[in-house]
């Protein structure tokens, strides 16, 4: 896993990041029935190497207030430069293994019913995602007599490159800030996105501080070197320091350009 992958996926190990991502980019009124205070990450180590589950693919669960049952969210973050054509098959395999683990661990309802799972693929590659989100589209047409027995599975795709500006208009949403940072092309864009993070991560809660540091690390190690190759940036730890350093650099570049 590259440093980009590691620092990016680290952001999604925080419950607030998952909550903002779901609220901002998963459609439906049903989200109002979720108790976000119950968000917890589930150990995904049961997925064996045979199925090539990558470090960082993660599973979260959250309780529904309407039914007092768990909903599982399988979040697969995809960085590949080429689109994986059979992603629906991979997702079906992972969800099957998750269900097997829940059965083995006896984490099922009293009636033996399994919890619902929302499979999500978050993709931020350069090319647009072109693989089918539906398993049925990857299977040849079966004779009518056996059509009803064919496997079905569908995942929710969030392709960052297809997001419109109107999709990034939510206030105080950390997933929106993350995507704005990725789409930034000028120093001013970066400054504005970092300013939003500073405002939205302003409280002193320990987990908020940890999330601020995770954003700072990602910006310093990935975003800045990618936007400004060959420029040395100091070992800053806080978002405000990153913003101040960037503003100072921009001022220096502007003076050099004028001269």
């Amino acid at each position: 896993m590259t440093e980009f992958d590691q620092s990016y996926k680290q952001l999604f190990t925080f419950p607030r990041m998952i909550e903002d991502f779901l609220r901002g980019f998963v459609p439906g009124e049903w989200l109002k029935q979720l108790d976000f205070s119950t968000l917890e990450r589930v150990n995904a180590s049961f997925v064996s190497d045979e199925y090539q589950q990558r470090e960082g693919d993660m599973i979260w669960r959250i309780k529904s207030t309407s039914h007092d049952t768990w909903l599982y969210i399988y979040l697969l973050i995809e960085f590949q430069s080429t689109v994986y054509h059979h992603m629906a098959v991979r997702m079906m395999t992972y969800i099957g293994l998750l269900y097997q683990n829940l059965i083995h661990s006896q984490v099922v309802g009293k009636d033996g019913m399994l919890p619902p799972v929302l499979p999500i693929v978050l993709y931020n590659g350069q090319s647009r995602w072109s693989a089918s989100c539906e398993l049925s589209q990857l299977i040849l047409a079966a004779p009518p007599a056996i059509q009803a027995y064919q496997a079905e599975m569908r995942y929710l795709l969030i392709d960052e490159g297809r997001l419109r500006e109107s999709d990034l208009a939510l206030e105080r949403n950390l997933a929106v800030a993350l995507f704005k940072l990725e789409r930034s092309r000028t120093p001013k864009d970066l400054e504005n996105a970092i300013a939003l993070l500073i405002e939205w991560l302003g409280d002193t809660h320990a987990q908020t501080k940890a999330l601020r540091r995770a954003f700072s690390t990602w910006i310093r190690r990935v975003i800045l070197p990618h936007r400004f190759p060959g420029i040395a940036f100091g070992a800053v730890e806080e978002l405000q320091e990153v913003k101040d350093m960037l503003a100072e650099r921009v001022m220096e570049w502007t003076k050099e350009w004028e001269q």
Side-chain angles (χ1 to χ4, degrees):
M1 185 187 297
T2 67
E3 186 171 34
F4 179 93
D5 295 0
Q6 288 176 329
S7 56
Y8 188 91
K9 289 181 176 180
Q10 179 65 25
L11 295 171
F12 287 91
T13 63
F14 292 88
R16 183 175 171 188
M17 194 71 188
I18 294 295
E19 177 179 351
D20 283 6
F21 175 66
L22 294 176
R23 289 186 185 277
F25 299 96
V26 174
E29 290 293 312
W30 65 277
L31 288 169
K32 295 178 180 179
Q33 301 174 4
L34 301 180
D35 180 1
F36 283 95
S37 68
T38 65
L39 257 177
E40 61 181 51
R41 192 172 174 188
V42 177
N43 185 358
S45 61
F46 59 84
V47 180
S48 66
D49 293 338
E50 179 184 355
Y51 292 98
Q52 299 179 345
Q53 190 241 10
R54 286 87 47 84
E55 180 185 352
D57 295 350
M58 57 195 71
I59 302 171
W60 287 80
R61 70 176 187 171
I62 185 171
K63 274 202 169 181
S64 168
T65 56
S66 59
H67 303 291
D68 192 33
T69 56
W70 288 105
L71 163 72
Y72 284 74
I73 299 150
Y74 201 117
L75 177 60
L76 191 154
I77 303 176
E78 187 68 20
F79 296 107
Q80 292 184 150
S81 57
T82 56
V83 175
Y84 183 56
H85 181 70
H86 293 102
M87 180 60 76
V89 178
R90 177 183 290 172
M91 266 297 194
M92 180 183 67
T93 301
Y94 287 170
I95 292 173
L97 290 169
L98 169 60
Y99 276 142
Q100 283 186 340
N101 181 261
L102 294 177
I103 294 168
H104 178 74
S105 305
Q106 299 182 340
V107 187
V108 295
K110 293 180 180 179
D111 53 3
M113 296 295 288
L114 295 166
V117 178
L118 172 61
I120 305 175
V121 172
L122 172 60
Y123 171 68
N124 68 349
Q126 292 296 318
S127 60
R128 300 286 52 83
W129 190 262
S130 56
S132 175
C133 298
E134 297 187 44
L135 180 62
S136 61
Q137 299 298 314
L138 302 177
I139 303 173
L140 291 173
I146 64 170
Q147 184 62 46
Y149 305 106
Q150 303 310 298
E152 293 186 10
M153 211 289 301
R154 182 177 185 174
Y155 60 86
L156 173 64
L157 172 70
I158 309 295
D159 183 347
E160 289 185 36
R162 293 187 186 276
L163 295 176
R164 301 162 297 182
E165 284 303 313
S166 59
D167 298 322
L168 303 177
L170 285 175
E171 290 291 325
R172 311 195 73 81
N173 187 293
L174 298 182
V176 166
L178 172 64
F179 298 156
K180 280 181 176 289
L181 279 167
E182 287 194 279
R183 294 158 72 102
S184 62
R185 291 296 176 265
T186 68
K188 193 61 180 176
D189 291 338
L190 274 175
E191 278 193 83
N192 291 339
I194 294 172
L196 289 178
L197 279 175
I198 293 171
E199 178 186 351
W200 296 348
L201 288 169
D203 65 72
T204 58
H205 189 276
Q207 191 170 87
T208 303
K209 290 181 179 179
L211 183 50
R212 275 204 305 270
R213 286 194 298 271
F215 264 108
S216 298
T217 299
W218 180 65
I219 293 169
R220 178 169 55 86
R221 294 182 180 178
V222 178
I223 291 294
L224 293 181
H226 181 71
R227 297 292 186 273
F228 310 108
I231 303 297
F233 290 94
V236 293
E237 297 295 333
E238 282 294 327
L239 284 171
Q240 186 62 54
E241 293 177 319
V242 175
K243 183 175 182 293
D244 293 343
M245 178 185 61
L246 180 61
E248 183 180 333
R249 286 289 187 182
V250 170
M251 190 177 298
E252 291 176 3
W253 295 332
T254 302
K255 288 180 180 178
E256 291 175 2
W257 179 82
E258 289 176 346
Q259 291 173 356

